[in-house]
Amino acid sequence: MSDTSIAIGSRRPRLRALLREIPYDRPKTRLLDIDAARGLAILLVVVGHVVARDLPADNEWYGQMKHTIYLFHMPLFMVLTGITFALSLPRFEAWSAVARFSLRRVERLFIPYVVFGLLVLVGKWAASSFLYVDNMPKGWTADLFVLLFFPASSVAGFLWFIYVLSIYLLIVPALFQMFGRRPMLVLIIGVALQFGAWPQLFMLDRVVEYLPFFAIGMLLWIYRDAWARVTPGVLWSSSALFAALLAMSPWLGLPKWLLGVASVPAVLAWAQNLPAGPQAWLAVLGRASLAIYLMNTIAIGLTKGVMLKVLPWDGVNFLLYFPMLTLAGIAAPILILQLATRYFPSGARYIR
């Protein structure tokens, strides 16, 4: 046997390992650590939404905190979404099953996207006569067009993630049906697409930007055994690396993709090693992450508008606003989800 044949043979197990398919086995119960990690990620989203545009005076600390969160939180959120997509992916016997799966999942995302987008549009017009409103609508026709075709620039720009995820749910299952359930191929495609210039139309710029992170999440699920029990050494080393990169970012201008990737092992490690109380609390947020994502900005805006009737939010007053708005962005969606689940279960399926 030639040296070349031996070399090729030795590469095949590695290639097979890289091109492993998502397993058909699914967890029998919810995974508390994944829910807790999603809970931490959605909490960061809410904190970042507390101030939509102009900072309250003399509160530069919040601006710096928001800037730091935005360096990594959406790549992290997309990785965690990739994990949950992979662990819930069913077996497809035929293309008809793929179509039913994608259309059902997209319906559950795109209907609330349109409904809440219109709710924000109508609500801002109605509330502007008696409350302060950020990012006022420009006109019904123009705003509806932007909502459907340029989501990030719409009055409900915070919902862009739902739009992008809908596109993934249309494309990725079809790719898997054609080439096998191999996330590595999606990662390769996602990285290759980064070298092109993509328009904002249909959110193609962000669809391409975040596709590698969605693929990384699916790959992490395949190799779950490697990180299902994170040791204290990995916990502290991954946390130290992530903290160091965040600290150096203002001077080195580190890219968001690097900080996003570095955040993943640290967050997954902490989600596993938190005390039972905080872990369970974050898991509650994780299980309600869709409802929180859809409604947190609305709840924050309404609460802010009411509070501004009583006192300004500049200076030291923002120390009251910050926890109140964060709490509103979390508690109100969870309450609405619970009420909908009890009294309107057919509608609740769109927000859970």
Side-chain angles (χ1 to χ4, degrees):
M1 183 179 294
S2 67
D3 293 341
T4 302
S5 298
I6 294 173
I8 292 174
S10 66
R11 291 193 193 105
R12 284 177 180 168
R14 299 175 190 173
L15 183 61
R16 284 196 295 269
L18 286 174
L19 295 179
R20 280 177 60 183
E21 296 192 47
I22 295 173
Y24 292 111
D25 295 337
R26 300 164 68 177
K28 295 180 175 59
T29 59
R30 294 195 70 107
L31 301 176
L32 195 62
D33 60 321
I34 302 299
D35 282 339
R38 285 172 60 84
L40 177 58
I42 198 64
L43 177 60
L44 293 174
V45 169
V46 174
V47 169
H49 286 169
V50 164
V51 177
R53 291 180 178 270
D54 298 328
L55 280 175
D58 301 320
N59 284 279
E60 289 76 12
W61 64 269
Y62 174 82
Q64 183 57 51
M65 180 176 67
K66 179 173 180 174
H67 174 73
T68 301
I69 289 173
Y70 273 61
L71 289 175
F72 69 91
H73 80 309
M74 288 315 299
L76 168 67
F77 202 76
M78 193 60 81
V79 169
L80 296 174
T81 303
I83 293 175
T84 55
F85 171 78
L87 68 85
S88 63
L89 188 66
R91 182 191 296 267
F92 301 128
E93 300 295 344
W95 276 102
S96 58
V98 177
R100 284 194 300 271
F101 172 83
S102 289
L103 292 176
R104 186 169 59 249
R105 289 294 187 92
V106 170
E107 179 216 6
R108 289 185 63 179
L109 289 176
F110 203 73
I111 286 179
Y113 171 80
V114 173
V115 168
F116 282 97
L118 292 174
L119 182 62
V120 170
L121 179 59
V122 173
K124 286 192 174 189
W125 277 110
S128 61
S129 59
F130 56 91
L131 292 177
Y132 171 79
V133 173
D134 282 319
N135 191 19
M136 271 295 295
K138 308 298 187 299
W140 289 102
T141 302
D143 283 315
L144 184 58
F145 177 83
V146 173
L147 178 69
L148 294 177
F149 297 102
F150 297 90
S153 302
S154 73
V155 293
F158 63 92
L159 294 175
W160 69 264
F161 172 83
I162 305 297
Y163 196 100
V164 168
L165 185 55
S166 297
I167 294 177
Y168 291 162
L169 292 175
L170 281 175
I171 295 173
V172 172
L175 287 175
F176 283 170
Q177 186 69 4
M178 287 188 289
F179 303 111
R181 301 155 56 106
R182 295 183 172 90
M184 180 58 70
L185 297 179
V186 179
L187 178 60
I188 292 170
I189 292 170
V191 171
L193 292 176
Q194 303 300 313
F195 296 97
W198 299 91
Q200 294 182 1
L201 179 65
F202 299 121
M203 293 294 295
L204 290 178
D205 54 343
R206 296 195 190 180
V207 168
V208 170
E209 179 183 0
Y210 289 98
L211 184 58
F213 298 102
F214 190 67
I216 288 171
M218 293 187 286
L219 283 168
L220 282 173
W221 177 247
I222 290 177
Y223 299 101
R224 165 77 173 172
D225 291 344
W227 55 273
R229 294 176 180 81
V230 177
T231 64
V234 173
L235 168 68
W236 291 110
S237 59
S238 61
S239 300
L241 175 61
F242 177 48
L245 290 175
L246 281 180
M248 292 187 296
S249 182
W251 293 276
L252 299 181
L254 299 177
K256 183 166 66 174
W257 70 262
L258 176 60
L259 295 168
V261 169
S263 71
V264 173
V267 168
L268 290 176
W270 277 107
Q272 290 183 20
N273 288 277
L274 284 171
Q279 187 189 54
W281 182 79
L282 285 175
V284 170
L285 302 190
R287 288 190 286 271
S289 59
L290 178 58
I292 295 172
Y293 198 96
L294 289 168
M295 292 181 276
N296 78 92
T297 300
I298 299 173
I300 288 170
L302 288 173
T303 305
K304 174 186 172 183
V306 171
M307 291 181 69
L308 283 173
K309 290 288 187 179
V310 180
L311 77 165
W313 76 338
D314 296 321
V316 70
N317 291 349
F318 187 66
L319 297 179
L320 173 63
Y321 270 83
F322 177 66
M324 290 294 292
L325 297 182
T326 302
L327 180 61
I330 294 170
I334 291 177
L335 177 61
I336 292 171
L337 174 60
Q338 291 177 339
L339 291 173
T341 300
R342 176 174 294 183
Y343 299 109
F344 187 39
S346 60
R349 65 187 290 268
Y350 292 102
I351 60 174
R352 63 167 178 249

mmCIF file with all atom_site columns, all heavy atoms in Angstrom, residues 295 299 303 327-337:
data_model
loop_
_atom_site.group_PDB
_atom_site.id
_atom_site.type_symbol
_atom_site.label_atom_id
_atom_site.label_alt_id
_atom_site.label_comp_id
_atom_site.label_asym_id
_atom_site.label_entity_id
_atom_site.label_seq_id
_atom_site.pdbx_PDB_ins_code
_atom_site.Cartn_x
_atom_site.Cartn_y
_atom_site.Cartn_z
_atom_site.occupancy
_atom_site.B_iso_or_equiv
_atom_site.pdbx_formal_charge
_atom_site.auth_seq_id
_atom_site.auth_comp_id
_atom_site.auth_asym_id
_atom_site.auth_atom_id
_atom_site.pdbx_PDB_model_num
ATOM 1  N N   . MET A 1 295 ? -42.200 41.209 22.486 1.00 0.00 ? 295 MET A N   1
ATOM 2  C CA  . MET A 1 295 ? -42.948 42.235 23.216 1.00 0.00 ? 295 MET A CA  1
ATOM 3  C C   . MET A 1 295 ? -42.127 43.124 24.124 1.00 0.00 ? 295 MET A C   1
ATOM 4  O O   . MET A 1 295 ? -42.666 44.085 24.683 1.00 0.00 ? 295 MET A O   1
ATOM 5  C CB  . MET A 1 295 ? -44.055 41.554 24.032 1.00 0.00 ? 295 MET A CB  1
ATOM 6  C CG  . MET A 1 295 ? -45.144 40.938 23.174 1.00 0.00 ? 295 MET A CG  1
ATOM 7  S SD  . MET A 1 295 ? -46.477 40.167 24.131 1.00 0.00 ? 295 MET A SD  1
ATOM 8  C CE  . MET A 1 295 ? -45.778 38.543 24.456 1.00 0.00 ? 295 MET A CE  1
ATOM 9  N N   . ALA A 1 299 ? -43.304 46.848 25.692 1.00 0.00 ? 299 ALA A N   1
ATOM 10 C CA  . ALA A 1 299 ? -43.487 47.048 27.130 1.00 0.00 ? 299 ALA A CA  1
ATOM 11 C C   . ALA A 1 299 ? -42.575 48.145 27.654 1.00 0.00 ? 299 ALA A C   1
ATOM 12 O O   . ALA A 1 299 ? -42.993 48.980 28.467 1.00 0.00 ? 299 ALA A O   1
ATOM 13 C CB  . ALA A 1 299 ? -43.222 45.735 27.872 1.00 0.00 ? 299 ALA A CB  1
ATOM 14 N N   . THR A 1 303 ? -43.938 51.723 29.253 1.00 0.00 ? 303 THR A N   1
ATOM 15 C CA  . THR A 1 303 ? -43.534 52.054 30.615 1.00 0.00 ? 303 THR A CA  1
ATOM 16 C C   . THR A 1 303 ? -42.748 53.356 30.645 1.00 0.00 ? 303 THR A C   1
ATOM 17 O O   . THR A 1 303 ? -42.973 54.220 31.511 1.00 0.00 ? 303 THR A O   1
ATOM 18 C CB  . THR A 1 303 ? -42.684 50.918 31.213 1.00 0.00 ? 303 THR A CB  1
ATOM 19 O OG1 . THR A 1 303 ? -43.403 49.691 31.125 1.00 0.00 ? 303 THR A OG1 1
ATOM 20 C CG2 . THR A 1 303 ? -42.340 51.204 32.668 1.00 0.00 ? 303 THR A CG2 1
ATOM 21 N N   . LEU A 1 327 ? -37.320 45.394 33.992 1.00 0.00 ? 327 LEU A N   1
ATOM 22 C CA  . LEU A 1 327 ? -38.351 44.520 34.570 1.00 0.00 ? 327 LEU A CA  1
ATOM 23 C C   . LEU A 1 327 ? -39.596 44.488 33.690 1.00 0.00 ? 327 LEU A C   1
ATOM 24 O O   . LEU A 1 327 ? -40.175 43.417 33.458 1.00 0.00 ? 327 LEU A O   1
ATOM 25 C CB  . LEU A 1 327 ? -38.710 44.999 35.979 1.00 0.00 ? 327 LEU A CB  1
ATOM 26 C CG  . LEU A 1 327 ? -39.785 44.188 36.709 1.00 0.00 ? 327 LEU A CG  1
ATOM 27 C CD1 . LEU A 1 327 ? -39.340 42.743 36.902 1.00 0.00 ? 327 LEU A CD1 1
ATOM 28 C CD2 . LEU A 1 327 ? -40.122 44.832 38.054 1.00 0.00 ? 327 LEU A CD2 1
ATOM 29 N N   . ALA A 1 328 ? -40.002 45.648 33.177 1.00 0.00 ? 328 ALA A N   1
ATOM 30 C CA  . ALA A 1 328 ? -41.181 45.692 32.303 1.00 0.00 ? 328 ALA A CA  1
ATOM 31 C C   . ALA A 1 328 ? -40.954 44.864 31.048 1.00 0.00 ? 328 ALA A C   1
ATOM 32 O O   . ALA A 1 328 ? -41.854 44.147 30.591 1.00 0.00 ? 328 ALA A O   1
ATOM 33 C CB  . ALA A 1 328 ? -41.490 47.144 31.932 1.00 0.00 ? 328 ALA A CB  1
ATOM 34 N N   . GLY A 1 329 ? -39.755 44.948 30.476 1.00 0.00 ? 329 GLY A N   1
ATOM 35 C CA  . GLY A 1 329 ? -39.450 44.218 29.259 1.00 0.00 ? 329 GLY A CA  1
ATOM 36 C C   . GLY A 1 329 ? -39.426 42.716 29.442 1.00 0.00 ? 329 GLY A C   1
ATOM 37 O O   . GLY A 1 329 ? -39.565 41.959 28.464 1.00 0.00 ? 329 GLY A O   1
ATOM 38 N N   . ILE A 1 330 ? -39.257 42.263 30.679 1.00 0.00 ? 330 ILE A N   1
ATOM 39 C CA  . ILE A 1 330 ? -39.247 40.827 30.972 1.00 0.00 ? 330 ILE A CA  1
ATOM 40 C C   . ILE A 1 330 ? -40.601 40.351 31.503 1.00 0.00 ? 330 ILE A C   1
ATOM 41 O O   . ILE A 1 330 ? -41.174 39.382 31.011 1.00 0.00 ? 330 ILE A O   1
ATOM 42 C CB  . ILE A 1 330 ? -38.144 40.502 31.996 1.00 0.00 ? 330 ILE A CB  1
ATOM 43 C CG1 . ILE A 1 330 ? -36.761 40.752 31.388 1.00 0.00 ? 330 ILE A CG1 1
ATOM 44 C CG2 . ILE A 1 330 ? -38.262 39.061 32.479 1.00 0.00 ? 330 ILE A CG2 1
ATOM 45 C CD1 . ILE A 1 330 ? -35.644 40.681 32.397 1.00 0.00 ? 330 ILE A CD1 1
ATOM 46 N N   . ALA A 1 331 ? -41.105 41.066 32.508 1.00 0.00 ? 331 ALA A N   1
ATOM 47 C CA  . ALA A 1 331 ? -42.291 40.593 33.218 1.00 0.00 ? 331 ALA A CA  1
ATOM 48 C C   . ALA A 1 331 ? -43.556 40.692 32.376 1.00 0.00 ? 331 ALA A C   1
ATOM 49 O O   . ALA A 1 331 ? -44.393 39.774 32.388 1.00 0.00 ? 331 ALA A O   1
ATOM 50 C CB  . ALA A 1 331 ? -42.458 41.382 34.516 1.00 0.00 ? 331 ALA A CB  1
ATOM 51 N N   . ALA A 1 332 ? -43.731 41.793 31.653 1.00 0.00 ? 332 ALA A N   1
ATOM 52 C CA  . ALA A 1 332 ? -44.974 41.967 30.884 1.00 0.00 ? 332 ALA A CA  1
ATOM 53 C C   . ALA A 1 332 ? -45.138 40.878 29.810 1.00 0.00 ? 332 ALA A C   1
ATOM 54 O O   . ALA A 1 332 ? -46.218 40.276 29.705 1.00 0.00 ? 332 ALA A O   1
ATOM 55 C CB  . ALA A 1 332 ? -45.017 43.364 30.266 1.00 0.00 ? 332 ALA A CB  1
ATOM 56 N N   . PRO A 1 333 ? -44.106 40.569 29.001 1.00 0.00 ? 333 PRO A N   1
ATOM 57 C CA  . PRO A 1 333 ? -44.279 39.477 28.028 1.00 0.00 ? 333 PRO A CA  1
ATOM 58 C C   . PRO A 1 333 ? -44.563 38.126 28.667 1.00 0.00 ? 333 PRO A C   1
ATOM 59 O O   . PRO A 1 333 ? -45.372 37.349 28.140 1.00 0.00 ? 333 PRO A O   1
ATOM 60 C CB  . PRO A 1 333 ? -42.936 39.472 27.276 1.00 0.00 ? 333 PRO A CB  1
ATOM 61 C CG  . PRO A 1 333 ? -42.422 40.862 27.409 1.00 0.00 ? 333 PRO A CG  1
ATOM 62 C CD  . PRO A 1 333 ? -42.842 41.292 28.781 1.00 0.00 ? 333 PRO A CD  1
ATOM 63 N N   . ILE A 1 334 ? -43.899 37.829 29.785 1.00 0.00 ? 334 ILE A N   1
ATOM 64 C CA  . ILE A 1 334 ? -44.141 36.542 30.449 1.00 0.00 ? 334 ILE A CA  1
ATOM 65 C C   . ILE A 1 334 ? -45.580 36.472 30.962 1.00 0.00 ? 334 ILE A C   1
ATOM 66 O O   . ILE A 1 334 ? -46.258 35.440 30.838 1.00 0.00 ? 334 ILE A O   1
ATOM 67 C CB  . ILE A 1 334 ? -43.135 36.326 31.593 1.00 0.00 ? 334 ILE A CB  1
ATOM 68 C CG1 . ILE A 1 334 ? -41.732 36.099 31.026 1.00 0.00 ? 334 ILE A CG1 1
ATOM 69 C CG2 . ILE A 1 334 ? -43.548 35.142 32.462 1.00 0.00 ? 334 ILE A CG2 1
ATOM 70 C CD1 . ILE A 1 334 ? -40.661 35.944 32.073 1.00 0.00 ? 334 ILE A CD1 1
ATOM 71 N N   . LEU A 1 335 ? -46.068 37.574 31.534 1.00 0.00 ? 335 LEU A N   1
ATOM 72 C CA  . LEU A 1 335 ? -47.452 37.612 32.013 1.00 0.00 ? 335 LEU A CA  1
ATOM 73 C C   . LEU A 1 335 ? -48.432 37.425 30.864 1.00 0.00 ? 335 LEU A C   1
ATOM 74 O O   . LEU A 1 335 ? -49.395 36.646 30.970 1.00 0.00 ? 335 LEU A O   1
ATOM 75 C CB  . LEU A 1 335 ? -47.711 38.935 32.724 1.00 0.00 ? 335 LEU A CB  1
ATOM 76 C CG  . LEU A 1 335 ? -49.147 39.155 33.224 1.00 0.00 ? 335 LEU A CG  1
ATOM 77 C CD1 . LEU A 1 335 ? -49.539 38.081 34.231 1.00 0.00 ? 335 LEU A CD1 1
ATOM 78 C CD2 . LEU A 1 335 ? -49.293 40.550 33.824 1.00 0.00 ? 335 LEU A CD2 1
ATOM 79 N N   . ILE A 1 336 ? -48.193 38.109 29.750 1.00 0.00 ? 336 ILE A N   1
ATOM 80 C CA  . ILE A 1 336 ? -49.082 37.977 28.589 1.00 0.00 ? 336 ILE A CA  1
ATOM 81 C C   . ILE A 1 336 ? -49.042 36.547 28.051 1.00 0.00 ? 336 ILE A C   1
ATOM 82 O O   . ILE A 1 336 ? -50.074 35.975 27.682 1.00 0.00 ? 336 ILE A O   1
ATOM 83 C CB  . ILE A 1 336 ? -48.678 38.992 27.506 1.00 0.00 ? 336 ILE A CB  1
ATOM 84 C CG1 . ILE A 1 336 ? -48.979 40.410 27.996 1.00 0.00 ? 336 ILE A CG1 1
ATOM 85 C CG2 . ILE A 1 336 ? -49.412 38.707 26.196 1.00 0.00 ? 336 ILE A CG2 1
ATOM 86 C CD1 . ILE A 1 336 ? -48.438 41.492 27.104 1.00 0.00 ? 336 ILE A CD1 1
ATOM 87 N N   . LEU A 1 337 ? -47.855 35.955 28.027 1.00 0.00 ? 337 LEU A N   1
ATOM 88 C CA  . LEU A 1 337 ? -47.733 34.567 27.575 1.00 0.00 ? 337 LEU A CA  1
ATOM 89 C C   . LEU A 1 337 ? -48.532 33.628 28.468 1.00 0.00 ? 337 LEU A C   1
ATOM 90 O O   . LEU A 1 337 ? -49.240 32.733 27.980 1.00 0.00 ? 337 LEU A O   1
ATOM 91 C CB  . LEU A 1 337 ? -46.262 34.156 27.554 1.00 0.00 ? 337 LEU A CB  1
ATOM 92 C CG  . LEU A 1 337 ? -45.973 32.681 27.245 1.00 0.00 ? 337 LEU A CG  1
ATOM 93 C CD1 . LEU A 1 337 ? -46.504 32.299 25.864 1.00 0.00 ? 337 LEU A CD1 1
ATOM 94 C CD2 . LEU A 1 337 ? -44.467 32.398 27.336 1.00 0.00 ? 337 LEU A CD2 1
#
